[in-house]
Amino acid sequence: QVQLVESGGGLVQAGGSLRLSCAASGRTFSRYSMGWFRQAPGKEREFVAAIGRSGGSTNAADSVKGRFTVSRDNAKNTVYLQMNSLKPEDTAVYYCAADPDLAWGTGNKWQYDYWGQGTQVTVSS
């Protein structure tokens, strides 16, 4: 089992940047592929980006490609989401999630077994 804690959210102007972090408990972090999802008010939780166990494979939603980058440091049990060129439509609660089964990061939210509590990102116009 793994516990996840997100941090780094906040209020930023459009065009600005934020880096989210997700710290995981336990010694087996490298056995999990990791994903980032977000949920805006009144909307379903949607895929943002994911990364495989070793960090060698990543994928991202079309809406964030070229702006957001996912990375991980297995020595620090942490996954990151670097968000650049933020837009008001990026406003949401951002969640990290861990999948113990697949070696690569999937965009399917139902694949993930463990979730953090979320961190709010607000982008003003």
Side-chain angles (χ1 to χ4, degrees):
Q1 190 169 355
V2 63
Q3 292 183 325
L4 306 172
V5 179
E6 302 95 336
S7 61
L11 174 63
V12 64
Q13 288 188 334
S17 297
L18 283 174
R19 188 176 82 155
L20 304 184
S21 299
C22 173
S25 64
R27 302 181 181 178
T28 59
F29 177 68
S30 62
R31 297 181 185 178
Y32 297 88
S33 60
M34 301 296 295
W36 285 98
F37 294 80
R38 67 187 180 186
Q39 188 166 17
K43 295 188 176 182
E44 291 190 0
R45 191 168 298 188
E46 65 174 7
F47 170 67
V48 175
I51 188 166
R53 293 171 180 167
S54 67
S57 66
T58 63
N59 67 91
D62 288 344
S63 59
V64 306
K65 280 181 181 177
R67 300 189 298 123
F68 291 11
T69 302
V70 59
S71 62
R72 66 189 294 164
D73 185 338
N74 285 345
K76 296 182 178 180
N77 283 13
T78 303
V79 62
Y80 305 97
L81 184 68
Q82 178 66 45
M83 305 186 295
N84 299 328
S85 303
L86 283 160
K87 305 175 181 180
E89 51 264 42
D90 295 318
T91 295
V93 177
Y94 283 71
Y95 300 88
C96 69
D99 168 23
D101 296 322
L102 298 178
W104 64 91
T106 177
N108 177 9
K109 63 186 176 185
W110 304 110
Q111 181 65 38
Y112 292 87
D113 290 348
Y114 306 102
W115 292 82
Q117 83 289 348
T119 185
Q120 176 70 46
V121 171
T122 303
V123 184
S124 64
S125 58

